[in-house]
Amino acid sequence: MRRRYTLMMLCCLLAIANASAQTKTIAKPNIVFIYVDDLGYGDLSCYGATSVKTPNTDRLAAGGLRFTDGHCSASTCTPSRFAILTGSYAFRNKAAILPGDAPLIINPGQQTMPGMLQQAGYTTAAIGKWHLGLGAGHPNWNDSISPGPREIGFNYSFIIPATPDRVPTVFVEDHHVVKLDLNDPVSVSYDHPIGNDPIGLQHPEMLKMQADSQHSGTIVNGVSRIGYMSGGHSAYWKDEDFSEVLTAKALHFIEANRSQPFFLYFALPNVHVPRMSNAKFVGATQMGPRGDDIAEMDWITGQVMDQLRKLNLINNTLVIFTSDNGPVIDDGYADNAESKLGKHQAAGIYKGGKYSAYEGGTRVPLIVSWPGKVKPGVNDALISQVDFFRSLSALAAVPVINSAAPDSRDLSPVLLGNTRQGRTEMIEEAFTMCYRQGNWKYIAPVTQAPPSWLANKKVPTGLQADPQLYNLKTDPAEQHNLAASMPAKTKALADALRLEMAAGSRK
Ligand code: NG6
Ligand code: CA
């Protein structure tokens, strides 16, 4: 009797141990998030590009799941990044493109995606472009810079504070500017020139590429930037070294954390302006610096995948590859991107691109891979990056606290390729609000004047005084505005958008 009881207990214990071992392997994949900057729907060969070859990204897509209706939440960077990390649409926080000395726009008290994973035992890192603000605004770059990534859930950070075209042109590692000499302190201003360094407006002869007036501030590495900066010369980055410096940091983080669950948020500066690839990639394509920067981006992706393979982590790592907004060809620097574009369609068949309310603004490449878990193929489900928060929480079996991630939906079955049933509706932001409902797309009339520099962009922005309605099934390129002929449908979508904006709903 006693023996039978012991045997029963032993079986029970074994069953429990087995179950928990299983939850461990299933529940805590490493997560590597490769976030490319300004990469358009048509910029990869696996999405139809022929003027540039992206073999590493194509391989990721071939072994994983490639989405055809995946969206960043906005057609510019800061809002999209805010939405990913908080699970909240950016308009709820009025998050817009930030200057390089803006305050951190994510509240350290709120649950964030990295914070949630950290609570579940993940080691987390943000490497690459940040652009979500630092400190309380106008931080002292010569001191400890806080709050920043470390205060919102990242164990480690090595960042470009804003964008490659904005000062300060220095890396910040955790709380400090890298290689700073305190005898030559950094100051930053976005209102008026400071210090003695030349500025582009006055010294165009010193420039590697000419720039528009907004990009004509302090010259660093032969390129004039947005904003003014003095000091910090020993800490200046060299744009051509971005790929090597950042990739080395990412590979090191993966190796150092190989034996425990990790989350790597790897935000590449490619293919944002100024496009200054490493010499290894200059001339890699016929498209000039923008094409070469795509080739370099593909190499970086290959390096990350090779590292995962080499360390035998590939089967236990969920890789998500996507972009923060649609493509832009001329974004302020004379880099021949327009003249060398040829037949390349950076947004594929879609209209518009970065800054645009049309599909080209937010429909971006989205590839997910996790061998053995994600069913390979192509998926046309509607999915937004704002959904990663709750989807990852489900995949990693980590609870989201109630008030967090109000706009995020758990679409983990979609990410795993188990269903094509994604969102039925979705908000898109682009200096106005857009609303998808199935194949219908509504673009609200503009209510506020967009930034004046937007008027110089060649990209169709979709910003109009009248409402727009498109049927993406029959008119994916948004050529026929049906708002006037379908007033009831237009009103229904406008009302649904207003309701969702007012509610902050989670369905
Ligand atoms: C714009 C800049 C553009 C780019 C963008 C941010 C001008 C005229 N243009 O304001 O060059 O920096 O902001 O890009 O200033 S993003 O990908 O980070 O959203
Ligand atoms: Ca961007």
Short mmCIF file of all heavy atoms in Angstrom, two decimals, residues 12 19-20 53 55 72 105 144 176 217 220 303 316 320 331 346 357 473 482:
data_model
loop_
_atom_site.label_atom_id
_atom_site.label_comp_id
_atom_site.label_asym_id
_atom_site.label_seq_id
_atom_site.Cartn_x
_atom_site.Cartn_y
_atom_site.Cartn_z
N CYS A 12 3.31 11.49 -10.06
CA CYS A 12 2.76 12.86 -10.05
C CYS A 12 3.88 13.87 -10.19
O CYS A 12 3.82 14.79 -11.02
CB CYS A 12 2.05 13.14 -8.73
SG CYS A 12 0.35 12.60 -8.79
N ALA A 19 5.81 18.70 -17.16
CA ALA A 19 4.97 19.79 -17.65
C ALA A 19 5.69 21.13 -17.51
O ALA A 19 5.68 21.95 -18.43
CB ALA A 19 3.65 19.84 -16.88
N SER A 20 6.35 21.32 -16.36
CA SER A 20 6.97 22.63 -16.17
C SER A 20 8.20 22.77 -17.09
O SER A 20 8.47 23.85 -17.58
CB SER A 20 7.32 22.89 -14.71
OG SER A 20 8.53 22.30 -14.40
N LYS A 53 19.35 43.20 -53.85
CA LYS A 53 19.19 41.80 -53.41
C LYS A 53 19.35 41.74 -51.90
O LYS A 53 20.28 42.33 -51.35
CB LYS A 53 20.25 40.91 -54.06
CG LYS A 53 20.23 40.92 -55.57
CD LYS A 53 19.93 39.54 -56.11
CE LYS A 53 19.77 39.50 -57.62
NZ LYS A 53 19.01 40.60 -58.22
N PRO A 55 19.51 38.70 -49.72
CA PRO A 55 19.47 37.24 -49.53
C PRO A 55 19.26 36.80 -48.09
O PRO A 55 18.56 35.80 -47.85
CB PRO A 55 20.85 36.78 -50.03
CG PRO A 55 21.70 38.01 -50.06
CD PRO A 55 20.78 39.16 -50.30
N CYS A 72 3.26 49.20 -39.31
CA CYS A 72 3.71 49.98 -38.17
C CYS A 72 2.51 50.86 -37.80
O CYS A 72 1.60 51.05 -38.60
CB CYS A 72 4.94 50.80 -38.48
SG CYS A 72 4.86 51.67 -40.05
N ILE A 105 9.52 60.13 -23.55
CA ILE A 105 8.06 60.23 -23.61
C ILE A 105 7.36 58.99 -23.06
O ILE A 105 6.14 58.90 -23.09
CB ILE A 105 7.56 60.52 -25.04
CG1 ILE A 105 8.09 59.47 -26.02
CG2 ILE A 105 7.93 61.93 -25.47
CD1 ILE A 105 7.37 59.48 -27.35
N SER A 144 25.16 61.76 -15.79
CA SER A 144 24.37 60.56 -15.97
C SER A 144 23.04 60.96 -16.64
O SER A 144 22.34 61.85 -16.14
CB SER A 144 24.13 59.94 -14.60
OG SER A 144 23.31 58.83 -14.73
N HIS A 176 25.57 56.98 -20.11
CA HIS A 176 26.66 57.92 -20.41
C HIS A 176 27.03 57.98 -21.88
O HIS A 176 26.95 56.97 -22.60
CB HIS A 176 27.90 57.55 -19.58
CG HIS A 176 27.69 57.83 -18.12
ND1 HIS A 176 27.23 56.87 -17.25
CD2 HIS A 176 27.82 58.98 -17.42
CE1 HIS A 176 27.09 57.42 -16.04
NE2 HIS A 176 27.44 58.69 -16.12
N GLY A 217 22.49 72.32 -39.86
CA GLY A 217 23.09 72.71 -38.59
C GLY A 217 24.54 72.25 -38.52
O GLY A 217 25.25 72.21 -39.53
N VAL A 220 29.12 67.36 -38.80
CA VAL A 220 29.86 66.28 -38.14
C VAL A 220 30.18 65.25 -39.21
O VAL A 220 29.28 64.84 -39.96
CB VAL A 220 29.01 65.63 -37.02
CG1 VAL A 220 29.74 64.41 -36.45
CG2 VAL A 220 28.68 66.62 -35.93
N GLN A 303 24.14 38.63 -40.09
CA GLN A 303 25.06 38.46 -38.96
C GLN A 303 24.31 37.99 -37.70
O GLN A 303 24.78 37.12 -36.98
CB GLN A 303 25.76 39.79 -38.65
CG GLN A 303 26.71 40.25 -39.71
CD GLN A 303 27.93 39.36 -39.78
OE1 GLN A 303 28.68 39.23 -38.84
NE2 GLN A 303 28.10 38.71 -40.91
N ASN A 316 15.13 28.20 -30.52
CA ASN A 316 14.47 28.73 -29.33
C ASN A 316 14.40 30.26 -29.38
O ASN A 316 14.34 30.92 -28.34
CB ASN A 316 15.22 28.26 -28.08
CG ASN A 316 14.38 28.44 -26.83
OD1 ASN A 316 13.16 28.37 -26.90
ND2 ASN A 316 15.02 28.72 -25.72
N ILE A 320 11.62 38.74 -35.04
CA ILE A 320 10.63 39.59 -35.71
C ILE A 320 11.40 40.67 -36.46
O ILE A 320 12.21 41.38 -35.87
CB ILE A 320 9.66 40.25 -34.71
CG1 ILE A 320 8.93 39.19 -33.89
CG2 ILE A 320 8.67 41.15 -35.44
CD1 ILE A 320 7.98 39.77 -32.85
N ASP A 331 15.07 62.63 -48.43
CA ASP A 331 14.67 63.08 -47.09
C ASP A 331 15.60 64.19 -46.61
O ASP A 331 15.94 64.27 -45.43
CB ASP A 331 14.65 61.90 -46.10
CG ASP A 331 13.64 62.12 -44.98
OD1 ASP A 331 12.88 63.10 -45.04
OD2 ASP A 331 13.61 61.31 -44.03
N ALA A 346 9.84 51.51 -53.94
CA ALA A 346 10.18 51.29 -52.53
C ALA A 346 8.96 50.92 -51.69
O ALA A 346 9.08 50.23 -50.68
CB ALA A 346 10.86 52.53 -51.97
N ALA A 357 -0.39 59.25 -45.31
CA ALA A 357 -1.57 58.56 -44.77
C ALA A 357 -1.97 57.37 -45.66
O ALA A 357 -2.77 56.55 -45.26
CB ALA A 357 -2.74 59.54 -44.67
N LYS A 473 -9.40 46.32 -51.54
CA LYS A 473 -9.51 45.05 -52.26
C LYS A 473 -9.48 45.30 -53.77
O LYS A 473 -8.75 44.64 -54.51
CB LYS A 473 -10.80 44.33 -51.87
CG LYS A 473 -10.89 42.96 -52.47
CD LYS A 473 -11.80 42.08 -51.70
CE LYS A 473 -11.58 40.66 -52.19
NZ LYS A 473 -12.23 39.70 -51.39
N LEU A 482 -13.77 57.16 -52.67
CA LEU A 482 -15.20 56.85 -52.75
C LEU A 482 -16.03 57.62 -51.72
O LEU A 482 -17.23 57.38 -51.58
CB LEU A 482 -15.40 55.33 -52.51
CG LEU A 482 -14.65 54.40 -53.49
CD1 LEU A 482 -14.79 52.95 -53.05
CD2 LEU A 482 -15.19 54.59 -54.90
#
